[in-house]
Amino acid sequence: DADVTQTPRNRITKTGKRIMLECSQTKGHDRMYWYRQDPGLGLQLIYYSFDVKDINKGEISDGYSVSRQAQAKFSLSLESAIPNQTALYFCATSDTSGQGLETQYFGPGTRLLVL
Amino acid sequence: AQSVSQHNHHVILSEAASLELGCNYSYGGTVNLFWYVQYPGQHLQLLLKYFSGDPLVKGIKGFEAEFIKSKFSFNLRKPSVQWSDTAEYFCAVNALGRALTFGSGTRLQVQP
């Protein structure tokens, strides 16, 4: 879905390096999310943001940090990458109705390999 | 805390076979339920969702799911699968004001 973009799409890095994954959206959604996907584990929530001033830890936030620079941008950083952070990373956005209903829209993913 | 279980990790079917993928969740309150599909090499796409009303929900590409509140289940069904349905399927749930929780996924392989 071109409304949610992620850069880079693929990245190879070395242990100990700092890297940033970026997510941008043109949907005008307030809520943004970062997930990682590992085979057999499904998607695990790393961080989420319900608006620019609201950042929340997800299930597996250790080793990660995020920045919500604007409504449309939500970046994920690995301060010191380690091999078990090798995974597929997805950004998502969601809309809400007054009842708090959500449908999430996903970006194309960033495949990260940490050597 | 909310959680989602998908008991079928890998399903292999022949074309035209019927499909049912199980999904159970644990949360005592009102929930919203979703099925997402991930085709090989692609990102997740919404297949269908249940918020309220008729517990039988119809989605895209002939899929449907039935919400059974007493069983905390939201199973995905399709009467006749096609080779193009080969993908990974994720059940997800969220309660009001909470982020989505995903199941571990079911990989469906349809053989021609």
Side-chain angles (χ1 to χ4, degrees), chain A residues 2-68:
Chain A
D3 296 325
V4 183
T5 57
Q6 292 182 233
T7 56
R9 295 293 312 278
N10 294 280
R11 179 75 184 268
I12 301 173
T13 192
K14 294 182 179 179
T15 297
K17 294 291 187 181
R18 181 182 187 277
I19 64 165
M20 180 182 290
L21 309 183
E22 300 191 2
C23 177
S24 296
Q25 53 114 348
T26 59
K27 288 189 161 296
H29 293 167
D30 286 330
R31 300 186 173 195
M32 298 186 74
Y33 309 80
W34 274 105
Y35 294 90
R36 65 177 280 174
Q37 183 180 22
D38 298 276
L41 294 179
L43 276 79
Q44 297 173 278
L45 182 64
I46 306 172
Y47 270 95
Y48 60 103
S49 169
F50 280 1
D51 65 41
V52 175
K53 295 181 180 180
D54 178 71
I55 304 290
N56 303 280
K57 292 183 178 181
E59 307 164 66
I60 53 163
S61 59
D62 288 349
Y64 301 94
S65 62
V66 290
S67 173
R68 186 81 186 267

Side-chain angles (χ1 to χ4, degrees), chain A residues 1 33 35 37 40-43 45 48 50 88 90 99-104 106-108, chain B residues 32 34 36 38 42-44 46 49 51 88 90 94 96-100 102-105:
Chain A
D1 189 332
Y33 309 80
Y35 294 90
Q37 183 180 22
L41 294 179
L43 276 79
L45 182 64
Y48 60 103
F50 280 1
L88 185 55
F90 285 104
Q99 298 169 2
L101 307 177
E102 297 190 19
T103 298
Q104 293 199 3
F106 286 81
Chain B
N32 307 310
F34 306 81
Y36 281 85
Q38 185 179 29
Q42 296 188 27
H43 60 281
L44 277 78
L46 182 67
K49 59 188 177 185
F51 290 158
E88 192 155 14
F90 294 92
N94 81 320
L96 187 66
R98 292 179 179 227
L100 270 181
F102 283 85
S104 58

Side-chain angles (χ1 to χ4, degrees), chain B:
Chain B
Q2 56 196 36
S3 66
V4 180
S5 296
Q6 291 182 243
H7 307 295
N8 313 106
H9 298 295
H10 188 195
V11 173
I12 302 173
L13 295 173
S14 299
E15 275 194 312
S18 64
L19 170 72
E20 181 160 2
L21 302 182
C23 173
N24 288 92
Y25 67 93
S26 65
Y27 184 73
T30 302
V31 294
N32 307 310
L33 297 154
F34 306 81
W35 276 98
Y36 281 85
V37 60
Q38 185 179 29
Y39 297 103
Q42 296 188 27
H43 60 281
L44 277 78
Q45 304 170 43
L46 182 67
L47 203 53
L48 48 77
K49 59 188 177 185
Y50 172 80
F51 290 158
S52 64
D54 189 342
L56 186 61
V57 179
K58 295 192 183 299
I60 60 172
K61 303 185 180 184
F63 286 90
E64 65 179 30
E66 184 175 13
F67 171 51
I68 303 179
K69 190 174 181 180
S70 60
K71 294 184 178 181
F72 297 89
S73 70
F74 190 55
N75 292 353
L76 181 71
R77 300 194 294 246
K78 186 171 184 178
S80 176
V81 294
Q82 302 173 315
W83 177 80
S84 58
D85 293 324
T86 294
E88 192 155 14
Y89 293 82
F90 294 92
C91 182
V93 61
N94 81 320
L96 187 66
R98 292 179 179 227
L100 270 181
T101 298
F102 283 85
S104 58
T106 298
R107 187 153 61 95
L108 172 65
Q109 186 178 345
V110 180
Q111 297 176 332

